[in-house]
């Protein structure tokens, strides 16, 4: 590498590139700051679909770090196509702001990042960073139309899975054909709402799966298998979560003085429905279980796979 260099996250960067990097990063942040500051309300909203969003930038940084040696060795340059992508992304982002469309803003923000990377560093670095940059879309509300189209069918499917699980463990359930997402048990009733439909968990599990694909060396066949496994795994775990909401709710009515019921009730004194208290915390528990489950599945698939030196 010619010229003086600066080291960032283990990657040597020519100092001559730093002004261009700063200019592109500044332009992206100036345009995208108002959009980025809106993201936490999607991550922490009680009824949102992006509770995994806070993890996504850290996972993306982890991929960059794991590729640091390849990034350091890659030939640096510049790409006019990257500048065009950066400019188009900026114009598209401004259009999204004008019509207040977050999906357009999310896509445009990613395009600006990709375009800026190609423009400053060139095509070889751009190809290495393309995956982790595109991965950032999972922390953004870019899939509104897909959510609208799939929520109700997934609600019904998740309700059926949960009631079947409840029946297997000995609970009686009744679901009316008129309201196929409302579950009646002996002493407790609950509604499987949109955020509990399974799409939320499927989205998170898809993000986790892609992350593991990027950091592992499984090969295309095992990657396809892992990706195909993620959706049924999400539906199973989501059904299991709903089943436990029903079990806890039923226990809260039938045995209100039980130690576990008193403990759950202590988590939120403003709530009287222990099933809903468990509901509020169970989403984060399920995300953790999903990540751990995928970790061990990938470990099993990696057996016998040669690792790059």
């Amino acid at each position: 590498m010619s010229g003086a260099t600066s080291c960032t996250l283990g990657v040597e960067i020519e100092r001559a590139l730093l002004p261009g990097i700063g200019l592109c990063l500044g332009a992206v942040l100036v345009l995208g700051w108002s959009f980025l500051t809106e993201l936490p309300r999607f991550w922490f909203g009680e009824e949102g679909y992006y509770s995994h969003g806070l993890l996504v930038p850290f996972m993306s940084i982890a991929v960059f770090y794991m590729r640091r040696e390849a990034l350091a060795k890659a030939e640096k340059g510049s790409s006019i196509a990257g500048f065009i992508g950066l400019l188009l992304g900026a114009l598209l982002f401004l259009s999204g702001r004008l019509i207040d469309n977050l999906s357009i803003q999310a896509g445009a923000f990613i395009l600006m990042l990709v375009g800026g990377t190609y423009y400053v560093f060139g095509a070889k670095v751009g190809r290495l960073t393309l995956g982790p940059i595109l991965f950032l879309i999972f922390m953004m509300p870019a899939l509104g139309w897909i959510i609208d189209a799939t929520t109700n069918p997934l609600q019904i499917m998740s309700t059926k899975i949960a009631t079947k699980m409840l029946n297997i463990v000995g609970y009686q359930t009744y679901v009316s054909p008129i309201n196929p997402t409302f579950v009646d048990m002996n002493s407790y009733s609950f509604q499987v709402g949109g955020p509990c439909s399974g799409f939320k968990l499927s989205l998170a599990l898809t993000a986790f799966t892609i992350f593991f694909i990027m950091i592992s060396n499984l090969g295309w066949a095992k990657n396809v298998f892992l990706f195909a496994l993620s959706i049924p795994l999400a539906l199973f775990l989501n059904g299991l979560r709903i089943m436990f909401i029903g079990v806890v709710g039923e226990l809260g009515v039938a045995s209100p003085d039980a130690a576990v019921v008193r403990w759950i009730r202590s988590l939120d004194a403003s709530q009287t429905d222990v099933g809903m208290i468990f509901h509020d915390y169970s989403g984060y528990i399920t995300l953790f279980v999903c990540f751990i489950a995928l970790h061990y599945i990938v470990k099993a698939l990696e057996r016998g796979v040669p690792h790059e030196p």
Side-chain angles (χ1 to χ4, degrees):
M1 183 181 292
S2 60
T5 62
S6 176
C7 187
T8 303
L9 291 177
V11 179
E12 290 189 347
I13 301 171
E14 288 191 46
R15 290 182 182 173
L17 295 175
L18 294 179
I21 296 170
L23 184 62
C24 286
L25 185 61
V28 171
L29 288 178
V30 167
L31 284 173
W33 183 252
S34 59
F35 166 71
L36 291 174
T37 56
E38 290 183 35
L39 294 181
R41 71 182 175 93
F42 292 96
W43 299 343
F44 303 116
E46 290 183 4
E47 300 299 320
Y49 289 84
Y50 297 90
S51 54
H52 63 280
L54 180 63
L55 301 174
V56 170
F58 296 101
M59 294 163 77
S60 188
I61 289 171
V63 178
F64 281 122
Y65 184 75
M66 294 181 73
R67 296 181 180 180
R68 65 191 183 281
E69 292 183 3
L71 287 169
K73 295 175 183 177
E75 181 183 347
K76 311 300 187 296
S78 185
S79 168
I80 189 62
F83 177 76
I84 295 171
L86 177 62
L87 183 60
L88 287 175
L91 293 173
L92 188 62
F93 186 86
L94 291 173
S95 300
R97 292 295 295 178
L98 285 173
I99 63 175
D100 196 25
N101 188 306
L102 289 174
S103 294
I104 292 176
Q105 292 175 57
F109 187 80
I110 296 297
L111 181 57
M112 286 193 291
L113 289 177
V114 172
T117 302
Y118 271 80
Y119 175 55
V120 174
F121 295 110
K124 291 187 177 180
V125 171
R127 283 193 290 270
L128 285 170
T129 59
L130 183 61
I133 291 177
L134 293 178
F135 182 71
L136 293 174
I137 202 71
F138 284 101
M139 72 176 186
M140 302 176 184
L143 303 172
W145 62 276
I146 297 179
I147 293 173
D148 293 339
T150 59
T151 292
N152 188 250
L154 283 174
Q155 278 178 268
I156 296 172
M157 186 183 301
S158 294
T159 304
K160 290 179 179 178
I161 293 171
T163 53
K164 182 62 69 175
M165 288 180 173
L166 285 165
N167 297 154
I168 290 172
V169 297
Y171 288 92
Q172 293 182 343
T173 59
Y174 173 73
V175 178
S176 169
I178 300 173
N179 190 355
T181 61
F182 190 82
V183 181
D184 273 314
M185 300 174 66
N186 288 343
S187 306
Y188 184 70
S189 301
F190 62 96
Q191 180 88 38
V192 179
C196 290
S197 65
F199 187 91
K200 178 178 181 177
L201 192 58
S202 296
L203 184 61
L205 201 56
T206 300
F208 294 163
T209 300
I210 292 175
F211 170 72
F212 280 113
I213 286 173
M214 287 192 293
I215 66 172
S216 62
N217 185 33
L218 295 177
W220 70 268
K222 289 185 177 181
N223 284 339
V224 170
F225 171 77
L226 184 64
F227 199 87
L229 182 66
S230 65
I231 301 304
L233 180 62
L235 291 174
F236 171 78
L237 290 174
N238 189 62
L240 195 63
R241 177 200 176 200
I242 296 169
M243 182 203 78
F244 276 115
I245 291 171
V247 170
V248 171
E250 182 79 6
L251 184 63
V253 176
S255 305
D257 295 323
V260 66
V261 173
R262 293 201 305 270
W263 177 75
I264 294 173
R265 193 178 290 118
S266 71
L267 297 174
D268 187 354
S270 65
Q271 278 266 28
T272 57
D273 185 340
V274 292
M276 287 300 100
I277 296 174
F278 178 78
H279 164 275
D280 294 340
Y281 287 91
S282 62
Y284 297 103
I285 297 171
T286 310
L287 284 179
F288 177 75
V289 171
C290 283
F291 192 88
I292 296 301
L294 274 177
H295 169 74
Y296 281 105
I297 291 170
V298 170
K299 284 292 184 184
L301 292 173
E302 281 183 330
R303 290 172 187 163
V305 176
H307 291 271
E308 294 180 2

